[in-house]
Amino acid sequence: MKLKIEEKFAILAILKLIMEADTIIHPKEIEFMDEMIARFKVSLSDLEEVSALDLLTSKSILTKMDDATKAYSKEIFLKMAWVDDDYDIREKAIIENLFV
C-alpha cells in the first residue's frame, strides 16, 4: 500500500504508544516495530519526527486517511497488540479510541 510520509509517521507513533501501553516492551514488539520501520523506509532522522507526534496529532492524521488505509492501519495496530500473545486492555483502549 502506498502511504504518505505523514501517514507512515502517524502509524509508527501509534505503534510506539501501543508497544508502551502495558509498560512491558516485549522483544517481539521491538522486532515488529523494526520491521515496520524498514517496510516504510523511514530513516533514523525521521524517527525524531515520529517521536514528536502525540496521540491527538496521530489520530487526526488517521481520520483523514481513506477507508482502505484506515483498515490497513488497524490491521498493523492489532498485529502489534497481539505480537507478544497478550492483547492488553490498555492496548485495546488505544486502538478502539482511534476508530470512534
Side-chain angles (χ1 to χ4, degrees):
M1 174 163 288
K2 185 77 172 165
L3 298 172
K4 299 173 189 169
I5 191 71
E6 65 268 13
E7 293 172 337
K8 293 177 184 181
F9 287 2
I11 291 169
L12 291 173
I14 293 166
L15 287 176
K16 183 176 181 276
L17 291 171
I18 293 168
M19 191 168 73
E20 296 172 341
D22 63 0
T23 69
I24 301 167
I25 298 177
H26 193 281
K28 287 183 180 180
E29 292 172 324
I30 294 169
E31 186 178 312
F32 184 76
M33 180 65 102
D34 289 344
E35 288 173 18
M36 295 309 303
I37 290 168
R39 181 184 300 173
F40 289 166
K41 297 182 174 121
V42 173
S43 70
L44 290 177
S45 60
D46 289 336
L47 290 178
E48 290 179 27
E49 288 187 53
V50 171
S51 294
L53 288 177
D54 61 12
L55 181 59
L56 289 176
T57 304
S58 298
K59 184 176 180 177
S60 174
I61 294 167
L62 187 74
T63 59
K64 295 174 188 168
M65 293 177 181
D66 62 47
D67 289 342
T69 306
K70 285 179 188 175
Y72 175 69
S73 300
K74 188 172 186 177
E75 181 181 313
I76 292 170
F77 302 150
L78 289 170
K79 282 184 182 178
M80 174 59 89
W82 279 105
V83 76
D84 62 355
D85 296 322
D86 180 29
Y87 190 26
D88 186 271
I89 192 166
R90 293 165 286 196
E91 295 168 332
K92 185 177 182 179
I94 290 170
I95 294 168
E96 288 179 354
N97 181 45
L98 293 169
F99 296 96
V100 291

